[in-house]
């Protein structure tokens, strides 16, 4: 009958509809602002904008224009982040690196508790010989969750490599060895070389970059330096309980060709979650 | 010749991009650039070729204005204040408060002042041990309570000690906290209400991006800050966060942390900073 024929033809028109360039430009501009405010690297924002614009103009419009563009951006972001990095529940050594104050020491305890809950026997080695009371901090965190702890005082060694070697030997009957290192940044060549040397000495299966969610445009430069030194296998984004959107994580993932394993969501040892791409991207886009 | 929108458009876009890539928050850039633009349109210039330079100078001027807002001299403040002066340090987790206190302590000590440190981070593991180590290296007294004690009581005791022993300055270290934590921000409000600091210094890091605006704003709204200190400037950052923080709080940046050593502290120089940012 006429009514259903009309319905069919309207559907056809809507289905073959393409979004117009002016609408796309306006919508992409809005999304650019959201990405910049989320601390996504400016060059990546431009790249994403071009990809989204191109796809939005060529792909069939099945949703309303705004949803159409957002869905495309959402897919592009998920594409960059990839799947969550799955750290296998096997005996291994895990080295934690990152910028000063990013949350490495706290995350060592959180990670130890994670493996403990999964039935493995974790142990922690403090390889930070620089920060005042670094050992005290980590020792206390480990004591709270009954995880064995090793530092320079345990072996009377002053050299970082010797401490880590002694710790690995001491904890040979433990499953997961987590090694905390001192904060450092890309311009400290001797410190970057130190983590390269530690990595070469103990060959950790996992080398995790601990990154503050609020990091700005420096994320890719810093991630690159750590990756070149030891090859990053996974990323932990901390302080997600704040208001930072974590856009720097995109660059870190891209630079290290790895992925995000966990999120730190507070100061307590239980404030630790497996990374979920959908939730992360939704939060990033607000 | 008179400048029109077309003349200033490209130079402004380039400068806007430079600011964003230097970690200046979008919210700040979006308010700043149109203002600079409005002031430039209709401006007389002797040669059109000078436009780029004129636009850059106009932006530098606007940035200087932001960075000079409510400015004061830290040393003069300490000098002229009734003793003991209570300076309390606040901020987000891991930004460098404890290390900055050690640097300021050394600076004041070298300038001839007697300094007492209040270890009012009674919450984080190893916090008191950390500041005690700094204090012992500098030969300074630390007032501390046991783990979990009321931070306000620690500061209160430190001021009491300073009064009784004629000490000039109390530097109070507080626990890092998220501006999103209602309880922790309320705790900080209480500390300030009870101990009435002479100066509240907000400590944040140069490496932070757009979130620098939100957290500085919230700390200023909820606690009230007198000035900010920008740390980790040595991490190869242009430091645009300084603009973000100064703009959103209308309070000055007074020091920059440029490393982990006690001497890695510089008095903030707005002119030098702006030159480095878009020189
Ligand atoms: N709110 C919140 N705080 C966190 C989180 N992760 C770590 N922190 C806090 O951030 C601060 C710094 O954490 P640390 O673990 O000491 O950081 P770090 O990377 O070991 O620091 P350095 O060893 O000095 O480089 C501490 O106050 C932690 O309690 C998180 O996910 N949320
Ligand atoms: N490179 C560099 N590192 C800094 C600077 N200031 C502080 N740090 C480092 O940043 C890390 C955190 O410093 P803290 O002083 O513990 O920071 P905090 O704000 O007291 O941390 P919480 O009390 O846990 O919130 C340490 O590794 C410091 O050595 C700086 O200006 N440059
Ligand atoms: Mg640490
Ligand atoms: Mg501290």
């Amino acid at each position: 009958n006429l009514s259903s024929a009309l319905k069919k033809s309207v559907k056809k028109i809507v289905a073959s509809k393409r979004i117009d360039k002016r609408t796309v430009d306006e919508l992409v501009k809005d999304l650019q602002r959201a990405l910049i405010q989320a601390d996504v690297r400016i060059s990546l924002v431009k790249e994403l904008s071009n990809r989204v614009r191109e796809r939005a103009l060529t792909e069939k419009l099945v949703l309303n224009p705004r949803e159409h563009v957002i869905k495309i951006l959402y897919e592009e972001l998920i594409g960059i982040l990839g799947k969550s990095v799955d750290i296998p529940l096997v005996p291994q050594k895990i080295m934690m690196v990152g910028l000063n104050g990013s949350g490495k020491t706290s995350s060592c305890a959180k990670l130890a508790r994670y493996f403990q809950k999964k039935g493995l026997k974790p142990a922690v080695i403090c390889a930070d010989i620089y920060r005042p009371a670094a050992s005290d901090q980590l020792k206390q965190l480990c004591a709270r969750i009954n995880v064995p702890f090793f530092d320079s005082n345990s072996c009377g060694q002053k050299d970082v490599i010797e401490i880590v070697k002694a710790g690995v030997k001491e904890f040979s009957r433990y499953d997961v060895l987590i090694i905390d290192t001192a904060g450092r940044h890309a311009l400290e060549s001797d410190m970057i070389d130190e983590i390269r040397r530690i990595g070469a000495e103990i060959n950790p299966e996992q080398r995790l970059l601990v990154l503050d969610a609020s990091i700005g445009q420096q994320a890719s430069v810093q991630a690159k330096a750590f990756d070149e030194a030891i090859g990053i296998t996974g990323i932990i984004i901390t302080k997600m309980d704040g208001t930072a959107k974590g856009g720097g994580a995109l660059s870190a993932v891209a630079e290290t060709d790895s992925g995000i394993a966990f999120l730190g969501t507070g100061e307590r040892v239980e404030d630790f979650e497996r990374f979920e791409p959908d939730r992360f991207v939704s939060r990033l886009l607000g | 010749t008179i400048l029109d929108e077309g003349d200033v458009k490209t130079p402004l876009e380039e400068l806007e991009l430079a600011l964003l890539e230097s970690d200046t928050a979008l919210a700040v850039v979006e308010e700043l650039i149109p203002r600079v633009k409005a002031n430039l349109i209709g401006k007389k210039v002797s040669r059109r070729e000078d436009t780029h330079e004129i636009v850059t100078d106009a932006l530098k001027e606007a940035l200087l204005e932001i960075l000079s807002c409510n400015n004061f001299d830290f040393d003069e403040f300490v000098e002229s204040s009734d003793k003991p002066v209570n300076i309390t340090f606040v901020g987000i987790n891991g930004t460098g408060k404890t290390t900055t206190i050690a640097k300021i302590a050394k600076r004041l000590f070298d300038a001839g002042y007697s300094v007492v440190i209040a270890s009012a981070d009674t919450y984080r593991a190893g916090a008191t041990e950390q500041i005690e180590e700094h204090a012992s290296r500098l030969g300074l007294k630390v007032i501390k309570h046991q783990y979990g004690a009321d931070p306000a009581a620690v500061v209160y005791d430190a001021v009491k000690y300073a009064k009784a022993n004629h000490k000039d300055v109390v530097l109070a270290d507080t626990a890092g906290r998220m501006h999103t934590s209602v309880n922790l921000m309320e705790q900080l409000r209480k500390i300030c209400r009870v101990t009435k600091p002479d100066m509240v210094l907000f400590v944040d890091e140069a490496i932070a991006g757009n979130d620098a605006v939100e957290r500085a704003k919230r700390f200023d709204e909820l606690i009230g800050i007198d000035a900010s200190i920008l740390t980790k400037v040595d991490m190869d950052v242009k430091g645009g966060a300084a603009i973000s923080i100064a703009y959103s709080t209308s309070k000055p940046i007074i020091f920059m942390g440029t490393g982990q050593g006690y001497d890695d502290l510089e008095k903030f120089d707005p002119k030098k900073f702006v030159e480095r940012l878009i020189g």
Side-chain angles (χ1 to χ4, degrees):
Chain A
N1 62 44
L2 183 63
S3 150
S4 66
L6 270 177
K7 269 200 186 132
K8 268 220 184 97
S9 65
V10 166
K11 261 205 173 147
K12 251 205 182 154
I13 292 168
V14 171
S16 67
K17 188 174 172 201
R18 292 274 185 277
I19 192 171
D20 69 282
K21 183 159 192 319
R22 181 141 168 264
T23 309
V24 169
D25 286 345
E26 280 177 24
L27 290 169
V28 166
K29 197 150 192 294
D30 279 346
L31 293 179
Q32 276 183 340
R33 290 189 64 252
L35 291 172
I36 295 174
Q37 287 207 298
D39 293 318
V40 178
R41 190 158 188 235
I42 303 294
S43 54
L44 182 55
V45 173
K46 288 185 179 168
E47 217 178 291
L48 280 166
S49 306
N50 291 335
R51 285 218 289 276
V52 170
R53 196 174 289 124
E54 195 176 321
R55 281 186 56 185
L57 289 170
T58 56
E59 288 177 16
K60 214 185 285 182
L61 188 68
V62 284
L63 308 157
N64 74 51
R66 184 172 170 74
E67 286 172 358
H68 175 75
V69 178
I70 289 177
K71 176 170 169 291
I72 292 171
L73 177 60
Y74 191 92
E75 287 173 8
E76 289 292 328
L77 291 172
I78 295 278
I80 294 174
L81 287 171
K83 294 218 212 71
S84 159
V85 156
D86 197 11
I87 300 192
L89 300 174
V90 301
Q92 62 196 302
K93 297 184 219 75
I94 302 178
M95 192 174 156
M96 308 279 272
V97 300
L99 299 172
N100 302 75
S102 66
K104 297 174 292 300
T105 303
S106 316
S107 300
C108 282
K110 291 175 178 182
L111 195 58
R113 180 181 171 277
Y114 169 82
F115 285 113
Q116 203 178 45
K117 293 242 166 244
K118 296 282 185 185
L120 291 166
K121 297 205 303 300
V124 174
I125 300 168
C126 176
D128 180 351
I129 56 170
Y130 308 96
R131 174 172 158 146
S135 274
D136 293 272
Q137 181 186 7
L138 190 48
K139 192 173 190 181
Q140 287 173 24
L141 292 175
C142 288
R144 287 179 198 174
I145 54 172
N146 246 311
V147 167
F149 171 80
F150 190 96
D151 68 350
S152 60
N153 292 326
S154 318
C155 56
Q157 291 284 354
K158 292 243 161 32
D159 177 66
V160 165
I161 302 292
E162 294 306 317
I163 295 166
V164 178
K165 270 168 72 181
V168 169
K169 197 165 177 211
E170 172 88 356
F171 288 150
S172 54
R173 53 208 169 73
Y174 286 88
D175 302 322
V176 184
L177 298 190
I178 299 167
I179 299 112
D180 189 16
T181 65
R184 70 203 68 215
H185 60 83
L187 291 179
E188 297 174 311
S189 48
D190 50 353
M191 290 299 277
I192 294 294
D193 190 62
E194 182 190 82
I195 52 169
R196 187 194 56 75
R197 285 187 293 117
I198 296 172
E201 180 62 41
I202 59 167
N203 274 309
E205 285 79 1
Q206 299 285 349
R207 283 98 50 197
L208 305 182
L209 176 63
V210 180
L211 212 62
D212 188 319
S214 68
I215 190 168
Q217 295 292 308
Q218 281 290 306
S220 59
V221 165
Q222 297 294 339
K224 184 161 189 246
F226 283 97
D227 191 48
E228 284 176 354
I230 52 167
I232 299 296
T233 60
I235 296 168
I236 297 178
I237 304 290
T238 62
K239 306 178 203 172
M240 288 290 287
D241 47 309
T243 46
K245 297 290 169 58
L250 292 166
S251 302
V253 167
E255 277 300 331
T256 60
D257 194 22
S258 66
I260 302 173
F262 295 99
L263 300 179
T265 57
E267 286 194 78
R268 301 169 314 168
V269 77
E270 53 264 42
D271 297 327
F272 202 52
E273 303 173 1
R274 287 296 311 278
F275 170 72
E276 280 169 41
D278 301 293
R279 286 185 63 197
F280 190 86
V281 172
S282 302
R283 183 175 178 281
L284 190 146
L285 291 178
Chain B
T1 179
I2 304 249
L3 287 179
D4 64 26
E5 169 126 25
D7 298 318
V8 301
K9 186 167 182 292
T10 306
L12 275 178
E13 278 173 1
E14 289 173 6
L15 287 167
E16 179 169 2
L17 185 63
L19 284 177
L20 289 173
E21 287 183 326
S22 307
D23 278 323
T24 308
L26 181 69
V28 178
V29 170
E30 284 192 324
E31 290 196 16
L32 186 61
I33 297 292
R35 255 202 291 142
V36 173
K37 186 188 226 182
N39 288 335
L40 284 168
I41 292 175
K43 191 176 169 78
K44 277 210 186 77
V45 298
S46 40
R47 313 179 313 145
R48 180 149 265 128
E49 304 84 73
D50 296 337
T51 302
H52 199 283
E53 194 174 334
I54 288 170
V55 173
T56 305
D57 286 345
L59 180 64
K60 283 187 189 172
E61 200 67 25
L63 291 173
L64 272 174
E65 207 174 307
I66 291 172
L67 294 172
S68 314
C69 192
N70 287 315
N71 213 351
F72 64 90
D73 186 281
F74 177 78
D75 302 315
E76 283 176 19
F77 175 85
V78 174
E79 176 79 16
S80 60
S81 293
D82 290 337
K83 309 292 186 290
V85 191
N86 169 359
I87 303 175
T88 297
F89 293 74
V90 303
I92 306 288
N93 305 75
T95 56
K97 298 174 290 302
T98 304
T99 308
T100 300
I101 286 172
K103 294 175 184 177
I104 300 251
K106 175 162 194 296
R107 188 170 196 277
L108 289 169
F109 183 77
D110 289 347
Y113 295 102
S114 50
V115 180
V116 174
I117 292 175
S119 175
D121 178 354
T122 57
Y123 173 74
R124 204 206 71 208
T128 294
E129 291 88 332
Q130 181 186 8
I131 203 161
E132 277 189 306
E133 175 59 26
H134 281 305
S136 120
R137 289 180 194 178
L138 296 170
L140 299 173
K141 169 93 180 158
V142 177
I143 298 293
K144 58 173 180 169
H145 288 192
Q146 38 170 314
Y147 181 83
D150 176 11
V154 182
V155 183
Y156 188 83
D157 269 1
V159 174
K160 203 156 139 238
Y161 174 91
K163 284 191 176 137
N165 294 276
H166 309 290
K167 301 292 184 187
D168 301 315
V169 187
V170 171
L171 300 178
D173 190 13
T174 64
R177 68 201 67 221
M178 278 301 168
H179 49 297
T180 47
S181 166
V182 175
N183 293 341
L184 291 179
M185 292 308 284
E186 181 51 35
Q187 181 198 64
L188 193 54
R189 277 163 69 84
K190 169 164 168 274
I191 294 173
C192 291
R193 208 164 50 234
V194 166
T195 64
K196 300 187 175 51
D198 298 298
M199 184 183 291
V200 174
L201 295 180
F202 178 70
V203 179
D204 213 337
E205 49 195 9
I207 197 112
N210 279 261
D211 202 45
V213 168
E214 183 61 20
R215 50 218 224 176
K217 196 147 123 282
R218 286 305 278 160
F219 267 80
D220 192 32
E221 281 172 357
L222 295 172
I223 311 300
I225 68 176
D226 295 300
S228 299
I229 296 178
L230 194 70
T231 63
K232 308 179 193 175
V233 173
D234 51 306
M235 284 187 181
D236 188 28
V237 283
K238 281 283 190 89
I243 311 278
S244 307
I245 294 168
Y247 187 82
S248 54
T249 60
S250 300
K251 303 284 165 56
I253 310 288
I254 57 171
F255 287 109
M256 287 202 305
T258 57
Q260 300 179 69
Y262 297 129
D263 295 324
D264 294 328
L265 185 75
E266 291 177 16
K267 215 165 182 183
F268 188 74
D269 183 338
K271 275 212 156 131
K272 262 197 185 161
F273 177 81
V274 171
E275 276 308 310
R276 235 187 86 213
L277 191 66
I278 53 168

